[in-house]
Amino acid sequence: MKKQYKVDLIIPIYNAEEWIPSLLATLEKQKMADFRVIFVDDGSKDDSYNILNDRLRGVKFPYLLLRQENQGPSAARNLGMRHAQADWIAFMDCDDELKPEFLEYLYNGVSGKDCQMGFCQLEMIPRGSAQQPQPAEPFGAAPMTAEAAMEKHYTSWIAPVCLILNRQWVMDHALEFDTECRYCEDLMFITRCIVAARTVVQIPVSLYVYWTHAGSLLRSSDISKYQNGMEGFARLEKALESNDSSAAKVFFAMGRSRFLLGIVRRAALQLTLKDFMGIARQAKLEDCRYQSGRLPLKQKIAFYIYLISKRLFYYVVRTAFKD
């Protein structure tokens, strides 16, 4: 009889040789014992698969090591979800760190409750800085409606690595990452999840350490990725256009303005003025001015600056709205 784990933790692996020792170390420190790790090597060009396969022989936790041709993190996560068998699913990136309470707090937040998903907070730290992760605060959990979760998502973004999802519910609703989208595909996946959920649990504790570095997707500069993200968002809107749930109504009331504002802000930080103006013309953020009233104050100010002058927005973002 196969053991039924409480949580399957899915981790895409791509060219991660240097991160494997720290990755396995943070997994070994998890306080919760009843979990399994599903590693998915996404066609690494270095020796990640062989190194990981060798080092896994000495770990204490159960695992499954999968391999696929390079298709991106979305396809890797989808493959991991298809192989999951635990009651709940969580995610991690291979170059980050988990606080020891990560799985324990996430599972305790959703276990035994009539909910479909939960999420915690993360701590973002520049790699190489003197800053160190803070100890986790005491456990806490608060249920919220899907409508409130959607507003939370499009106010301050819920990260995929902070999620815990009911596996059977994920299967029943065929929830997957959009493999055609390579920018903000995680944001869109979470949107689909919230629309499908009835109740979401927030664990208001920072449990995940996101180490930023020069190689992060968050920091890369590529015009086409913004175009790809806008195309993906249009597909998401198309998929949800007939959904009349309260969460979907919140999405259509504020989602496009918040998403596109994020696009043009990131483009302003990473692109030349000429390239930024090209992305701004494609975004047509000014067409969403009717949604601006629901934006958080900082985003609302940025939106109004954008409406006054895209050029002014570009320079203000680079001086006053940095990460």
Side-chain angles (χ1 to χ4, degrees):
M1 182 176 178
K2 288 186 178 180
K3 179 175 175 57
Q4 183 70 14
Y5 297 103
K6 292 177 179 177
V7 181
D8 272 330
L9 179 63
I10 299 169
I11 308 178
I13 302 291
Y14 181 72
N15 292 351
E17 286 181 345
E18 63 180 308
W19 311 121
I20 289 174
S22 59
L23 171 61
L24 297 183
T26 196
L27 293 171
E28 293 276 17
K29 293 176 184 176
Q30 285 300 291
K31 290 185 175 181
M32 183 175 138
D34 199 2
F35 70 96
R36 179 180 66 158
V37 182
I38 301 178
F39 299 95
V40 184
D41 184 85
D42 182 38
S44 292
K45 294 179 174 61
D46 63 7
D47 205 29
S48 292
Y49 179 85
N50 292 326
I51 292 174
L52 182 58
N53 189 37
D54 181 62
R55 287 181 175 255
L56 282 172
R57 295 170 188 165
V59 300
K60 301 174 184 177
F61 54 84
Y63 65 88
L64 176 64
L65 177 57
L66 305 174
R67 198 175 195 180
Q68 66 176 21
E69 292 183 3
N70 180 241
Q71 301 174 58
S74 290
R77 286 170 175 156
N78 289 343
L79 180 61
M81 287 195 289
R82 287 195 290 272
H83 281 80
Q85 297 177 345
D87 297 329
W88 295 87
I89 296 169
F91 303 96
M92 180 187 178
D93 289 341
C94 63
D95 56 347
D96 290 332
E97 181 179 341
L98 306 178
K99 296 185 181 180
E101 299 85 358
F102 177 76
L103 290 173
E104 179 184 63
Y105 278 20
L106 281 179
Y107 181 76
N108 289 344
V110 296
S111 178
K113 300 176 179 65
D114 184 20
C115 66
Q116 295 72 49
M117 61 183 291
F119 66 96
C120 65
Q121 310 300 312
L122 62 72
E123 194 174 346
M124 189 175 291
I125 303 177
R127 191 175 293 279
S129 71
Q131 186 178 348
Q132 293 298 314
Q134 295 298 308
E137 302 91 343
F139 172 76
M144 61 172 60
T145 63
E147 179 181 4
M150 187 68 78
E151 184 146 6
K152 172 77 174 177
H153 186 37
Y154 280 92
T155 297
S156 55
W157 306 135
I158 298 171
V161 290
C162 292
L163 289 178
I164 185 165
L165 306 174
N166 181 278
R167 182 183 62 84
Q168 189 60 53
W169 168 76
V170 167
M171 292 175 59
D172 291 345
H173 289 81
L175 296 169
E176 288 195 333
F177 289 84
D178 182 352
T179 57
E180 294 181 33
C181 189
R182 60 188 181 91
Y183 185 73
C184 290
E185 71 285 349
D186 45 8
L187 176 149
M188 299 176 204
F189 171 74
I190 296 169
T191 299
R192 291 176 181 268
C193 289
I194 295 173
V195 168
R198 296 187 308 276
T199 304
V200 180
V201 172
Q202 179 178 10
I203 298 96
V205 183
S206 175
L207 298 171
Y208 190 96
V209 182
Y210 186 102
W211 292 102
T212 63
H213 55 88
S216 297
L217 178 63
L218 187 68
R219 302 284 175 187
S220 63
S221 178
D222 179 1
I223 296 174
S224 65
K225 75 176 183 181
Y226 299 114
Q227 298 168 330
N228 179 267
M230 288 187 283
E231 291 167 0
F233 195 82
R235 286 195 298 274
L236 177 64
E237 289 181 315
K238 182 70 175 176
L240 298 180
E241 63 182 1
S242 61
N243 192 301
D244 62 354
S245 68
S246 297
K249 289 176 182 176
V250 172
F251 167 72
F252 282 107
M254 66 185 299
R256 174 163 279 271
S257 63
R258 183 70 174 94
F259 174 76
L260 291 178
L261 185 62
I263 286 276
V264 296
R265 174 183 171 274
R266 180 61 56 186
L269 287 171
Q270 296 184 334
L271 303 180
T272 65
L273 176 60
K274 179 181 178 181
D275 289 340
F276 163 78
M277 293 298 285
I279 291 296
R281 283 192 294 272
Q282 293 179 55
K284 298 180 180 179
L285 179 59
E286 56 273 15
D287 293 348
C288 302
R289 68 182 71 212
Y290 67 93
Q291 293 186 357
S292 62
R294 297 194 65 161
L295 293 174
L297 180 59
K298 184 177 179 179
Q299 282 74 38
K300 196 178 294 185
I301 293 170
F303 190 93
Y304 291 152
I305 293 173
Y306 180 91
L307 292 179
I308 292 170
S309 168
K310 295 181 180 65
R311 184 182 293 267
L312 175 62
F313 175 88
Y314 178 82
Y315 289 111
V316 169
V317 165
R318 294 173 76 89
T319 56
F321 287 91
K322 293 183 179 181
D323 291 331

